[in-house]
Amino acid sequence: MAHQWRGVIREYADRLPVTESTKVITLGEGGTPLVHAQKLSELTGSTVYLKVEGMNPTGSFKDRGMTMAMTAAVASGAKAVVCASTGNTSASAAAYATAAGLQCAVLVPEGKISMGKLSQAIAHGATLLQVDGNFDNCLDIARKLGESYPVFLVNSVNPARIQGQKTGAFEVVDALGDAPDIHVLPVGNAGNITAYWKGYKEYSAPFESETAGTLPAVSTRTPQMWGFQAAGAAPFVAGHPITEPDTIATAIRIGNPASWDGAIAARDESGGFIDAVTDDEILAAHRWLSAKEGVFVEPGSAAGVAGLIKKHAAGQVPTGKIIVITVTGHGLKDPQWALRTEDGSEVQPVKVSNDVVTVAAELGLEEK
Ligand code: AN7
């Protein structure tokens, strides 16, 4: 019988707040590959996997939460949705609002979102406003719009978003047969670390389903959660919000994370930590992933890998363990970083004449 992945709501319906009659808004998100990271495994002596979230319909993990948020928006009778975003949430909201037939407004920090993400929001017909402020300012305004105006807020302060995003943890366990020892991910607004921890906890104990009775535990354990922020935008490391966050990893340029308590709980209940990596470490990990593993991510997505490499260098990564790193968004979102060399200069493609002998010589090939 023909079968295709049905999106995270239908695949995990008995563990989400939906019923048979829910009108599901989906673009087929989830079901993303868990890729064995050969070189990171060799480096660390543990088995390292990448959960490649750039394979989602709009190129980031945000689609897992957006299918739930947009489904909830439609159920509530909303006509319009709003979000603040460093880029990926706006791209996802714009696409899912289109699928739902809703108006979409997005607030982004002026000059601080990548061209790929900007173009997605525009392509899907969202009303895009560039706010003279940072992401935290945008989120303040979006929350107030949601409270006092007839628009439905689809940021991760909406619990539906966290519900959808927890399916990332379910997929990891379903693929491995149990939870990993360690789960590593970038931390910005902290919705994803909150969601993964919720997913891992729910899968490790009997679950009271709203539609299917008591479901048995799927995993025997939960992982340590290791979160990494950009050093210039690391409120969890500072222990308080940051007013002027700064990093080249614009996706995680966030100083006042909305899911503060959720991230602290994930960190402490799991026996993990939240640390920071520099922009240089992020760019080195970005290059590592594309050049050594064959996986192209955007800079913010490389923060978890940068963190693992840093912890390994400090002798703090155990060997013989199973480690999963969520790489959150696709490299094509923000491709400019691939075209810079380590010393910061632009990569210039070599130009050759239209002639096989010249091309062969340039490639260092000798005729057979
Ligand atoms: C690629 O799109 O906040 O800690 O507005 O785009 O759950 O916020 C994006 C965040 C990591 C951080 N990686 O996740 C937004 C936004 C990528 C991201 C994060 C984001 P959270």
Side-chain angles (χ1 to χ4, degrees), residues 61-62 85-86 88-89 187-192 251-252 254 298 301 328:
F61 73 99
K62 301 289 181 183
S85 182
T86 59
N88 278 324
T89 297
V187 175
N189 212 22
N192 216 25
I252 52 173
I254 296 172
E298 60 171 292
S301 297
T328 42

Side-chain angles (χ1 to χ4, degrees), residues 4-50:
Q4 95 163 346
W5 178 265
R6 297 164 295 170
V8 298
I9 294 183
R10 284 297 173 225
E11 294 292 336
Y12 292 109
D14 53 7
R15 290 173 176 272
L16 289 167
V18 293
T19 65
E20 269 301 305
S21 61
T22 302
K23 179 175 175 350
V24 173
I25 307 301
T26 179
L27 293 170
E29 62 295 316
T32 57
L34 192 65
V35 174
H36 180 235
Q38 237 167 284
K39 302 294 176 187
L40 285 171
S41 299
E42 280 169 24
L43 175 76
T44 59
S46 272
T47 306
V48 181
Y49 294 96
L50 303 169

Side-chain angles (χ1 to χ4, degrees), residues 236-310:
F236 288 110
V237 179
H240 54 76
I242 305 279
T243 44
E244 303 269 329
D246 198 24
T247 167
I248 57 97
T250 52
I252 52 173
R253 189 173 173 272
I254 296 172
N256 188 13
S259 296
W260 185 278
D261 295 345
I264 297 292
R267 181 192 72 185
D268 295 347
E269 290 171 21
S270 76
F273 59 80
I274 301 177
D275 199 352
V277 284
T278 65
D279 282 359
D280 283 347
E281 288 168 335
I282 287 172
L283 289 175
H286 176 259
R287 263 191 301 275
W288 176 297
L289 285 172
S290 50
K292 294 188 201 276
E293 311 287 1
V295 174
F296 192 29
V297 304
E298 60 171 292
S301 297
V305 174
L308 187 76
I309 293 171
K310 174 184 154 171

Side-chain angles (χ1 to χ4, degrees), residues 176-191:
L176 295 176
D178 207 342
D181 296 293
I182 297 169
H183 192 108
V184 187
L185 75 179
V187 175
N189 212 22

